[in-house]
Amino acid sequence: MPKPMPERQWDTRRAEKRRRQALGARIATGKVIPTADIVPFLETITAPGDRVVLEGNNQKQADFLSRALADADPARVHDLHMIIPSVSRVEHLDLFERGIARKLDFAYAGTQSVRISQFLEDGQLEVGAIHTYIELYARLYVDLTPQIVLVAGYKADRDGNLYTGASTEDTPALVEAAAFRDGIVIAQVNEIVDDATDLPRVDIPGSWIDYVVQSDKPFFCEPLFTRDPRLIKPVHILMAMMAIRGIYERHQVQSLNHGIGFNTAAIELILPTYGESLGLRGKICKYWTLNPHPTLIPAIESGWVESVHSFGSELGMEDYVAARPDIFFTGADGAMRSNRAFCQLAGQYAVDLFIGSTLQIDGDGHSSTVTRGRLSGFGGAPNMGHNPGGRRHATPAWLDLIETDDPLARGRKLVVQMVETFQAGGKPTFVESMDAVQVARDSGMPLAPVMIYGDDVTHVLTEEGIAYLYKARSLEERRAMIAAVASVTPIGMRHDPATTRRMRSDGLIALPEDLGVHRADATRSLLAAKSMADLVEWSGGLYAPPARFRSW
Amino acid sequence: MPKPMPERQWDTRRAEKRRRQALGARIATGKVIPTADIVPFLETITAPGDRVVLEGNNQKQADFLSRALADADPARVHDLHMIIPSVSRVEHLDLFERGIARKLDFAYAGTQSVRISQFLEDGQLEVGAIHTYIELYARLYVDLTPQIVLVAGYKADRDGNLYTGASTEDTPALVEAAAFRDGIVIAQVNEIVDDATDLPRVDIPGSWIDYVVQSDKPFFCEPLFTRDPRLIKPVHILMAMMAIRGIYERHQVQSLNHGIGFNTAAIELILPTYGESLGLRGKICKYWTLNPHPTLIPAIESGWVESVHSFGSELGMEDYVAARPDIFFTGADGAMRSNRAFCQLAGQYAVDLFIGSTLQIDGDGHSSTVTRGRLSGFGGAPNMGHNPGGRRHATPAWLDLIETDDPLARGRKLVVQMVETFQAGGKPTFVESMDAVQVARDSGMPLAPVMIYGDDVTHVLTEEGIAYLYKARSLEERRAMIAAVASVTPIGMRHDPATTRRMRSDGLIALPEDLGVHRADATRSLLAAKSMADLVEWSGGLYAPPARFRSW
């Protein structure tokens, strides 16, 4: 029997944590860090080369902590490996500019996507990989276990018990990876209370949190999922009608995820009008995985919606959500509990349909939101926008996509790309080659940043019609079907009218008239709410839109 | 603008919970239910037709609560819809025999698989669906939100703060679905303490748990992942050598999941001998997602393992795990924190390789453990044993499976089926048609219960050799490759020696000699531990095998 390694120490992580905590005790009182001392505290508690998870979520930002970390002395804190789900703040990249951080693993970059590209080009930043959210959380338990986790919540007590409020989002998945592997967890909160009985509820137990600090101002949170109905155009409504008739009704879609956008907002807003006229209430769109979209209020009030589980919160929806506990997941305190990890899981494995939009689609149906000079990342779409091979339960919609009589045939998740054939500014959505391919070449990425792969897409819906890609018997046929709904884009120009006629009669593609959708009916009069004020009225005054959305 | 539905009540779930809790208050004192009153309490707090989650996990069982529920009066409690991840106890099915429950959604049934089949045939039970674990959790947040959740932990305080100990397993995923949608959560614990300071740590906050009850005896927990090295045969060692040379080394597999079985136990036990002789330490098998297998101890002690994240615990491994916090995920109290939801996520999205065994494989590579008369379900294999289409990060192993120069090509997860060509008793593993196909027909299931689909399998490894299925350019070629390693089974008899020679020289299949593996070297002398006593010795006496595994 071979001998074990001699004299190995098996608690180096724990010993290192204790060493740092002993230094931190000069600044913190118990678990509480004085607000004014956060920069020296972070300089004390971190070490060069640490893997640091920074809670930049889709909405909620641990911005007090990110600003403090960016203010640290690069002579003391440097070469950090940052793990940030959503890179959304200027200081996230200041960390790299100042030499405090060197490597970045992330899932999404909105406003910072141009700067990431530049930094990458200038060699100021090294990208580990760009992930879909849930894949990034998963790696925290395998090869990216963090030394430091920085998160945000509403309130905490002096023992570290954390109340996240409605914006729980990524926090539990991020914290657990450190709390149970001798990492150090620091939570910024808007308010510190004396003990747990002063908290509305506990979202994360105190024994998982090492330090709390009251932030200089409440954490930043962005209303990303609010769409003003005023900006919905007739073309959105036409496409929404096609979605309801040609996809939701046809396949009996009962559980679904809607992405952000005016297209899907239009679907939400015509359920109580157009959907009702088709007698579909109670038959489709019952179970939802999405943030509390204000444009979903009329459908909820009209009795369409059984339940909504959410990735994160939406500013202004707090009182409405709290008053609708039959629909939303809420705690005993009344506030919502969101959970991005579980909602991504639900959006992957438990819903019939994912529908989303994109910036570019190529002739094979691959799509990406990455354009030259912008490394925007993936967010949640790759996870929800693929056919999960591990799924084993059947639903009517899932089974409806089986096209063979093979006894081993499986159903499929519906993955719908809903796009206008041209983007604002006249840029074609359907392109010969996605910018993503060139971006990958330019930046030496091991693979092109494709958001959703063509073989995962089951339907392409444009203002021209629907291509039922899951019926394609070959790549050639898939290409022809895409071309048939791509209007006069470079891809659309390839289409052959005779082929299109045949595919139409074979049911491979459908134009609005094939679905009984009349273009003339696609007017804004179908919208259950035509303005933010209408949404407020539908909500009985419970919805309180952020100031920038108020025009009355 | 259409009118909202008139006079709708939006908190029916909450009101119903309060109504039941008011009745329950006649029995419980605060959150504490007297042990002797559990049956009348369950009769009071549940209602006919409820969806009830019962924590039957792979190892841990809320068996006090399941026994109590099975003792309820069917006149009061009936037609329940049970959601049980792992149906493992006699009383799980007694519920159906007694008319207390009617419908079952589950993921796995070990010892109860025969009885489920019989009940289904007799119309005593209706199966909703058979799931992979994580898919079942996901549905709790969409269309299977429970009214009642029954779970097990080690200790709780009177406020409901729950210490699960090392067997956290499914508990957090099950509890959250009810705690935040006005369901009722009841935890059985081995001990109730006065307050949170008496708990080693808090795994679930008290505000998520409505009731605690001290069980009549400690919860049942089974050591499912312990394999006695004495039972490892030379053929397992031969296959283990092939796995290390022909798969792990070739593709640089750094992160992985091992299923249960003597095949994978053999791999674990020859890493410190055979693997060491190949100079592979530090190069392969660094990050693991698996339960704390005792057979992994020698590899850990020899410095092969960087980290282990676990689905659940393993009886007897408690002290060893607690003494190795650099390797295992442990809490501040020293005990392991397992988490099946996150570990399944990690096993899906964050590891290079899944390797498992099965009972039947057909000519196309589809496999199943369902045999006639046994509805055994899926457990976690479908989730980990498929190529996750949402993955976007690259690793050397994942990229190594790309076979084209298409700039949009993706890597693949390695999904390895490691089987002897014949099972014990001389039954062929490779069969013309899996029993699962007939079972589906007989029981009217919408699809055959296939564990892993052929198009997800990248490698088939038998005592004959390795078929590199990911290299197959057609279904025909995949079939020929499988036949070539299927010896004299019905599928193996199809193989054509000339084709096999060609495939061998093309690298599509490899025999042991092609990998530099000498059959004569495949002896038990390669095992770093040959007995349970050896494992105990490797662990420095920290591993304490359950009595049934002790022969000294």
Side-chain angles (χ1 to χ4, degrees), chain A residues 240-249 267 270-271 274 278 280:
Chain A
M241 294 167 77
M242 286 194 274
I244 289 173
R245 284 236 72 168
I247 300 175
Y248 294 10
E249 180 184 17
I267 298 175
I270 68 170
L271 286 175
Y274 183 68
L278 297 170
L280 295 175

Side-chain angles (χ1 to χ4, degrees), chain A residues 485-496:
Chain A
V485 297
S487 79
V488 294
T489 61
I491 297 300
M493 297 302 276
R494 291 181 186 168
H495 102 277
D496 164 42

Side-chain angles (χ1 to χ4, degrees), chain A residues 1-5 8-14 129-132 134-135 137-143 145 172-173 176-177 179-182 201-205 207-208 255 272-273 281 287-289 300-303 305-307 309 322-332 334 337-339 341-342 345-346 348-351 362 366 378 382-383 386 388-394 398-399 407-411 434 437 441 446-448 450-453 455-456 528-529 534 537-538, chain B residues 1-5 8-14 129-132 134-135 137-143 145 172-173 176-177 179-182 201-205 207-208 255 272-273 281 287-289 300-303 305-307 309 322-332 334 337-339 341-342 345-346 348-351 362 366 378 382-383 386 388-394 398-399 407-411 434 437 441 446-448 450-453 455-456 528-529 534 537-538:
Chain A
M1 197 163 88
K3 286 270 174 294
M5 307 276 281
R8 171 153 174 198
Q9 187 189 339
W10 292 99
D11 63 349
T12 59
R13 298 175 69 97
R14 186 164 297 167
I130 316 178
H131 307 74
T132 191
I134 201 163
E135 171 191 21
Y137 313 148
R139 290 189 69 190
L140 300 180
Y141 297 86
V142 181
D143 61 342
T145 314
E176 183 162 338
F180 293 97
R181 201 147 182 255
D182 292 315
R201 71 177 189 235
V202 176
D203 287 286
I204 296 184
S207 58
W208 302 23
S255 52
T273 55
R281 177 158 49 85
Y287 307 104
W288 299 71
T289 57
I300 292 171
E301 296 299 308
S302 308
V305 177
E306 291 284 322
S307 72
H309 189 258
R324 299 289 180 269
D326 276 358
I327 308 299
F328 295 95
F329 282 71
T330 56
R337 162 91 173 184
S338 57
N339 187 323
F342 282 170
L345 203 57
Q348 177 189 19
Y349 266 130
V351 303
D362 74 10
H366 301 303
F378 299 122
N383 176 58
H386 79 277
R391 177 168 170 167
R392 293 293 180 271
H393 79 280
W398 188 78
L399 291 173
L408 294 181
R410 287 181 271 184
M434 293 179 292
V437 175
R441 275 201 207 103
L447 64 169
V450 174
M451 181 78 90
I452 297 184
Y453 286 87
D455 49 1
D456 277 320
D534 282 357
E537 193 181 328
W538 268 104
Chain B
M1 197 163 90
K3 285 270 175 295
M5 306 277 280
R8 171 152 175 199
Q9 187 189 339
W10 292 99
D11 63 349
T12 58
R13 298 175 69 98
R14 186 165 297 167
I130 316 179
H131 306 74
T132 192
I134 201 163
E135 172 191 19
Y137 313 148
R139 290 189 70 189
L140 300 180
Y141 298 85
V142 181
D143 61 342
T145 314
E176 183 161 338
F180 293 97
R181 202 149 180 255
D182 292 316
R201 71 177 190 234
V202 176
D203 287 286
I204 296 184
S207 58
W208 303 23
S255 52
T273 56
R281 177 158 49 85
Y287 307 103
W288 298 72
T289 58
I300 293 171
E301 296 299 308
S302 307
V305 178
E306 291 284 322
S307 72
H309 188 257
R324 299 289 179 269
D326 276 357
I327 309 299
F328 295 96
F329 282 70
T330 56
R337 163 90 174 186
S338 56
N339 187 323
F342 282 170
L345 203 58
Q348 177 189 18
Y349 266 129
V351 302
D362 74 9
H366 302 303
F378 299 122
N383 175 60
H386 79 277
R391 176 169 171 167
R392 292 292 180 272
H393 78 280
W398 189 79
L399 290 172
L408 294 180
R410 287 181 270 185
M434 293 179 292
V437 175
R441 278 202 205 101
L447 64 167
V450 174
M451 182 77 91
I452 297 183
Y453 286 86
D455 49 1
D456 277 321
D534 283 356
E537 192 180 330
W538 269 104

Side-chain angles (χ1 to χ4, degrees), chain B residues 233-260:
Chain B
K233 295 179 297 187
V235 65
H236 300 136
I237 296 164
L238 173 67
M239 291 166 66
M241 294 166 77
M242 285 194 274
I244 289 173
R245 285 236 72 169
I247 300 176
Y248 293 11
E249 180 183 17
R250 173 173 299 194
H251 303 298
Q252 302 176 60
V253 172
Q254 302 203 359
S255 52
L256 69 166
N257 166 269
H258 272 191
I260 319 173

